[in-house]
Amino acid sequence: MSAELVAVIAVIVVAMAFDYTNGFHDAANAIATSISTRALTPRVALALAAVGNFVGAHFGAGVAKTVGDGLVTLPTGVGSLGVVFAGVLGAIAWNLITWYFGLPSSSSHALFGGLVGATLLATGGTVQWLNIVDKVILPMVLSPVVGLLLGYVVMLAILWIFRKGQPGKLNRGFRWAQTASAAAMSVGHGMQDAAKTMGIIVLALFTGGYQDDKTHIPGWVFWTSATMLALGTYAGGWRIIRTLGRKIIDLGPPEGFAAEIVASAVLYFNALVLHAPISTTHTITSAIMGVGATKRLSAVRWNVAGNIVVAWIITFPAAAAIACLAYLIVRPIFG
């Protein structure tokens, strides 16, 4: 077995591990609101999210191509696979840290930060900073703003449309509606997050010389990435589910439905139209804040929201720093 093949297999294995942590770390994105409003039981919600993630992964080719070909230029040879390996390790480490503290940080930005950090230390590696700004930084700033504003507007529209309805009957109806909105959110999460792992695997295959096209995604890559994300999702990330579902605002079924519909729309637009790898975590969290603000500004627990925003800001540099350390350790192995 050649050194290149061993290195490629190592990167694929660590990418699958990241995919799994992404699933249990970000399970809350799709189901926290449905669980907190009692629209779905926890295990039913997790199963729905797992299936939705699996389906959505098959529509994320555009995002995968951006990740695999648009963010960094790696050095040549086996050493380049060490860069990818270290970058993914940095993302996994940051996922586990934020999961432990129950902070819904972005697995996407952890992955991007890890790749950038390891690339900066690699001889011959370059970061495509213009693409980082265009495809990562701007969406990182804009998607939460859009989610916040749309969440506020959509919730106001729901309140106006159903202003004469009976609260009990409306809550029952919106609990049923949340089954659809949670499914839509799960598919959008699969489009975004499984696609990022697919991009990493394609990058490894191309760099290792096992395929000639930087953007071609083999069928087995779709299936393995989708499966690992679905398995991780079904494992559940209960610490983060509690933060999103209960600690930001007290959600009712109409609020949960509005937040999920808004987040789904933003995810679909970016994945299918812009091919931009945005954060599902940022999107759903900001939508929840926007929905909650329609009650009154004090309904949002801004101290919790502030902690989440801090985690958002430091995710990219923190994952980059961990990846730098990881690269220093693994560089002799991949040399």
Side-chain angles (χ1 to χ4, degrees):
M1 188 179 293
S2 67
E4 288 80 6
L5 180 56
V6 172
V8 168
I9 292 174
V11 171
I12 292 174
V13 169
V14 78
M16 290 296 100
F18 168 76
D19 208 19
Y20 185 84
T21 65
N22 192 349
F24 77 71
H25 187 278
D26 288 3
N29 295 337
I31 61 171
T33 53
S34 298
I35 291 174
S36 68
T37 62
R38 296 180 175 84
L40 297 170
T41 63
R43 283 301 166 190
V44 170
L46 283 168
L48 178 66
V51 172
N53 282 337
F54 186 85
V55 172
H58 293 79
F59 297 93
V63 174
K65 291 174 183 178
T66 298
V67 174
D69 188 38
L71 302 180
V72 297
T73 301
L74 298 174
T76 58
V78 177
S80 62
L81 294 170
V83 175
V84 180
F85 186 87
V88 178
L89 279 182
I92 291 173
W94 187 248
N95 271 355
L96 293 175
I97 291 169
T98 50
W99 165 81
Y100 180 81
F101 289 103
L103 291 174
S105 67
S106 170
S107 295
S108 305
H109 295 145
L111 179 61
F112 303 149
L115 284 176
V116 168
T119 301
L120 287 173
L121 289 188
T123 303
T126 57
V127 177
Q128 299 180 35
W129 288 111
L130 289 179
N131 284 349
I132 291 289
V133 171
D134 185 43
K135 297 292 187 180
V136 178
I137 304 300
L138 287 178
M140 180 175 71
V141 174
L142 293 178
S143 60
V145 173
V146 171
L148 182 73
L149 294 177
L150 284 181
Y152 185 83
V153 170
V154 169
M155 191 62 217
L156 283 181
I158 288 174
L159 290 172
W160 186 82
I161 292 170
F162 296 100
R163 64 190 182 279
K164 295 181 180 179
Q166 297 178 359
K169 186 179 293 186
L170 288 176
N171 281 338
R172 286 193 295 273
F174 275 108
R175 282 195 179 97
W176 282 107
Q178 272 197 275
T179 303
S181 61
M185 182 67 195
S186 301
V187 173
H189 182 249
M191 285 182 185
Q192 284 286 341
D193 287 54
K196 290 150 192 168
T197 300
M198 292 190 292
I200 293 297
I201 295 174
V202 168
L203 183 61
L205 292 172
F206 174 79
T207 304
Y210 289 91
Q211 71 177 47
D212 298 326
D213 189 343
K214 285 184 178 181
T215 59
H216 171 67
I217 305 171
W220 67 267
V221 174
F222 278 102
W223 284 91
T224 53
S225 298
T227 300
M228 290 303 295
L229 183 66
L231 289 173
T233 297
Y234 190 70
W238 298 109
R239 294 170 186 263
I240 295 174
I241 286 172
R242 284 191 290 270
T243 298
L244 273 183
R246 300 174 186 174
K247 293 185 179 179
I248 298 176
I249 65 167
D250 294 319
L251 287 169
E255 291 86 0
F257 173 79
E260 289 169 345
I261 285 297
V262 166
S264 300
V266 174
L267 292 174
Y268 284 28
F269 180 77
N270 279 277
L272 299 177
V273 179
L274 301 180
H275 300 161
I278 67 167
S279 167
T280 55
T281 304
H282 292 191
T283 305
I284 184 62
T285 306
S286 60
I288 290 172
M289 293 178 189
V291 164
T294 60
K295 295 182 177 181
R296 60 187 186 281
L297 288 178
S298 60
V300 179
R301 298 183 181 96
W302 293 108
N303 59 327
V304 176
N307 291 336
I308 293 171
V309 171
V310 170
W312 290 358
I313 294 171
I314 67 174
T315 287
F316 193 98
I322 296 171
C324 287
L325 179 60
Y327 181 67
L328 292 176
I329 295 171
V330 306
R331 179 166 56 185
I333 303 173
F334 286 86

